[in-house]
Amino acid sequence: MPKIFRYIDYRVGDIRTAEDITSHVFEKALAGFHSFSPGKASFFTWLMSITRNTLIDYFRANKKGHQSVPLEKASEIPTNNPSPEEELQRKEEQQRLRVCMAGLSIQEQEIISLKFGAEMNNRQIAGILYISESNVGTILYRAVRKLRDSFKEWQDEQ
Amino acid sequence: MSNEFDMEKEFSKNIDRMRSGDEIEPVHMSDDYLSALDFARKLVTLRDNPSPVYTTQLKERLLPELREKEKQTSQETKSNRFADFISRLSSNRRIWQMAAATVLIAVIFGGVWGALSLLTPGIFNEPSPAKQQDAASPAPSAPSAPADSTPTESSPSQPASEPAITPADTYPVYVNAESHPDAYFPDEEITFLISVENKSAEPIQLDQFPPDIQIERSPSNTVVHVIHSNGTEKIVPPGQTVSITISWDQTDDQGNPVDYGYYRIKPEDIHYNAKQDTGIFSPIEIQIVSTDKEKGE
């Protein structure tokens, strides 16, 4: 479950929404478990298909192709609960990361989410996205560098 | 190019190692590469986890449903057991089977006898299973290329099949592979049609068409053969499709015949418009059957 949750969190950029969608995914999986065929794919691959389809439905319903976090919200940090300085720093960086993710192409966001969120290797990602393993590596490297540069710009401004 | 490819491949492997807590091995020492690796490390540490409260609530909500499903499944199993029990009530099950077979044979014999009595004597119609006929004379539908792995270009503007998951407005280029039939005997040449559809409103320039084709063993995804098509740049007008027929002689990269089983046909990435992005494609699966098996199983 954490892998599914993290993947969704990377894609939607909001924890509460990610929790809702994760719940939907597992409910759908439970309802459709009779359709799972071990010979065709692993359970995790099957679950990821449900997850991606659920996300597509979510984005279509919200008329989005990807997460979008308005820049003015990037600095709004939830301050209901007091937290140590490190935790605050972490939250800031997470929020900024979400903004930077929104600047990537959809394919780049997908690959980052599958790699860092769902913890899939390049071969698994290639199988899900129907691109070659080498292309996954290329896009991943490019996307991480883009994120790094975007993130660094924000840090320099701070 | 090869160095860059190795670096990207190593970068991905290092991320996998990082995630699993293993030591990473930065062979490439450029500042750009090392800082990208550092940032990847940051991405790993910045990941959110589901809260314990949420996890508990989800389990509490789903577990009763799961128990309900298990209950339903066990009820279905009980019904099957009841049916078995009823069938076992007739202690002489074998006699019932023999009696049923006898009645069936008698009906068939009576029918044949009746037909023969009306028709000219001596005519004998032996039932011929349709599958045996299909296996004896397979008919490939696509035009075939020479026996070695070479492509044959066909006319453009053939419609492609529906794309996979991704919305059309996000990915304008779709690559499709088709093979008819989808099962072959070992001595048959396998042909498949590769088509590229431009769904956008602008012409696109493919950097290589036809693409190289990767043939993988399914489900292990082991690459057994790559068909190098020596493609060139090609412009595809908006709304149009270009296609090509490619053949495979069922050999691996060493020239040895491949085993029976399932194989995936995957076109290599097709970049377009100065390598900005790649088309989305759906690989197909074909089966190589032994001569003892019937096609279509």
Side-chain angles (χ1 to χ4, degrees):
Chain A
M1 195 266 276
K3 291 181 184 178
I4 300 290
F5 169 84
R6 281 192 220 118
Y7 166 70
I8 297 171
D9 187 41
Y10 264 105
R11 295 290 281 116
V12 302
D14 178 72
I15 292 182
R16 298 291 163 257
T17 310
E19 286 176 349
D20 283 343
I21 297 176
T22 304
S23 303
H24 282 140
V25 165
F26 280 95
E27 281 162 7
K28 279 186 184 178
L30 199 57
F33 192 73
H34 60 276
S35 68
F36 169 60
S37 174
K40 284 187 182 175
S42 69
F43 178 73
F44 183 62
T45 304
W46 178 74
L47 200 55
M48 279 305 300
S49 299
I50 296 176
T51 305
R52 294 187 74 234
N53 286 336
T54 308
L55 270 175
I56 287 171
D57 291 342
Y58 164 76
F59 286 134
R60 279 181 179 154
N62 290 276
K63 293 194 185 349
K64 292 179 198 173
H66 52 84
Q67 60 163 305
S68 62
V69 179
L71 273 174
E72 55 270 21
K73 283 196 174 292
S75 57
E76 288 178 9
I77 311 297
T79 54
N80 296 334
N81 304 315
S83 50
E85 205 173 281
E86 280 181 359
E87 183 62 22
L88 189 64
Q89 171 76 11
R90 186 171 185 272
K91 293 283 185 198
E92 277 183 5
E93 289 182 338
Q94 278 180 329
Q95 196 70 6
R96 184 63 212 179
L97 181 63
R98 292 193 172 111
V99 174
C100 295
M101 280 279 286
L104 299 177
S105 72
I106 294 177
Q107 196 176 44
E108 287 167 345
Q109 286 183 39
E110 275 277 9
I111 289 179
I112 292 277
S113 306
L114 288 168
K115 181 60 110 178
F116 291 94
E119 296 188 356
M120 298 178 106
N121 60 35
N122 284 15
R123 172 161 286 192
Q124 290 170 318
I125 295 172
I128 280 197
L129 297 184
Y130 296 134
I131 57 177
S132 70
E133 212 176 313
S134 61
N135 204 25
V136 171
T138 302
I139 296 172
L140 176 69
Y141 187 52
R142 181 178 71 201
V144 168
R145 284 191 300 165
K146 267 192 198 176
L147 273 181
R148 174 202 61 192
D149 295 342
S150 175
F151 198 81
K152 192 173 181 308
E153 272 180 35
W154 168 71
Q155 278 185 323
D156 291 343
E157 282 167 13
Q158 301 290 304
Chain B
M1 183 68 175
S2 167
N3 269 344
E4 202 179 322
F5 169 73
D6 289 339
M7 183 171 63
E8 289 160 359
K9 194 173 166 184
E10 186 207 312
F11 183 77
S12 297
K13 284 188 179 168
N14 276 328
I15 293 178
D16 294 338
R17 288 185 195 113
M18 208 184 289
R19 271 199 333 243
S20 49
D22 294 336
E23 286 291 315
I24 60 172
E25 303 160 9
V27 172
H28 294 87
M29 300 297 285
S30 72
D31 289 343
D32 185 55
Y33 180 88
L34 290 175
S35 77
L37 212 52
D38 278 341
F39 189 75
R41 200 175 280 114
K42 185 182 262 305
L43 287 177
V44 172
T45 59
L46 285 179
R47 294 182 306 182
D48 272 322
N49 284 315
S51 67
V53 170
Y54 167 74
T55 308
T56 307
Q57 284 174 349
L58 187 65
K59 277 184 190 168
E60 282 173 3
R61 195 162 73 240
L62 293 180
L63 275 176
E65 282 185 45
L66 183 62
R67 283 191 204 108
E68 189 59 37
K69 286 229 174 276
E70 279 179 342
K71 203 171 151 187
Q72 282 174 6
T73 309
S74 79
Q75 277 176 351
E76 279 167 19
T77 309
K78 278 182 189 169
S79 301
N80 289 338
R81 284 191 194 146
F82 184 66
D84 285 345
F85 174 70
I86 293 293
S87 71
R88 280 196 213 111
L89 275 183
S90 59
S91 56
N92 295 317
R93 191 178 176 184
R94 190 162 175 83
I95 292 177
W96 281 111
Q97 287 175 341
M98 287 173 65
T102 305
V103 167
L104 188 62
I105 291 169
V107 167
I108 292 172
F109 184 75
V112 169
W113 182 263
L116 283 177
S117 68
L118 294 173
L119 297 172
T120 306
I123 291 177
F124 180 75
N125 291 322
E126 185 174 12
S128 175
K131 283 187 180 179
Q132 282 182 1
Q133 281 186 343
D134 288 345
S137 56
S141 61
S144 62
D148 56 341
S149 306
T150 53
T152 303
E153 189 148 359
S154 61
S155 59
S157 303
Q158 294 181 22
S161 59
E162 285 296 307
I165 300 171
T166 317
D169 56 358
T170 310
Y171 298 107
V173 175
Y174 286 89
V175 183
N176 192 47
E178 295 174 44
S179 178
H180 301 285
D182 59 3
Y184 296 83
F185 286 118
D187 55 350
E188 287 185 294
E189 185 181 74
I190 296 174
T191 58
F192 37 89
L193 184 74
I194 305 293
S195 54
V196 179
E197 185 184 3
N198 176 10
K199 287 194 174 225
S200 71
E202 300 290 328
I204 56 164
Q205 179 167 306
L206 306 176
D207 69 335
Q208 180 189 341
F209 186 82
D212 291 345
I213 305 294
Q214 197 163 278
I215 299 174
E216 298 178 351
R217 181 83 186 189
S218 181
S220 66
N221 294 337
T222 308
V223 176
V224 298
H225 186 48
V226 177
I227 301 174
H228 297 286
S229 60
N230 300 316
T232 55
E233 289 179 350
K234 191 169 188 81
I235 292 178
V236 185
Q240 295 293 308
T241 301
V242 292
S243 54
I244 192 162
T245 301
I246 295 184
S247 305
W248 177 39
D249 59 1
Q250 298 192 27
T251 57
D252 60 17
D253 278 337
Q254 284 74 45
N256 302 316
V258 296
D259 289 333
Y260 306 123
Y262 291 92
Y263 293 84
R264 288 178 81 190
I265 310 294
K266 276 178 62 174
E268 287 282 341
D269 300 325
I270 293 185
H271 297 273
Y272 61 94
N273 292 349
K275 298 184 187 299
Q276 279 179 11
D277 217 328
T278 55
I280 298 297
F281 65 83
S282 306
I284 59 165
E285 199 166 80
I286 54 106
Q287 185 186 8
I288 298 174
V289 298
S290 69
T291 51
D292 293 330
K293 289 186 182 179
E294 295 169 353
K295 273 192 189 177
E297 280 185 350

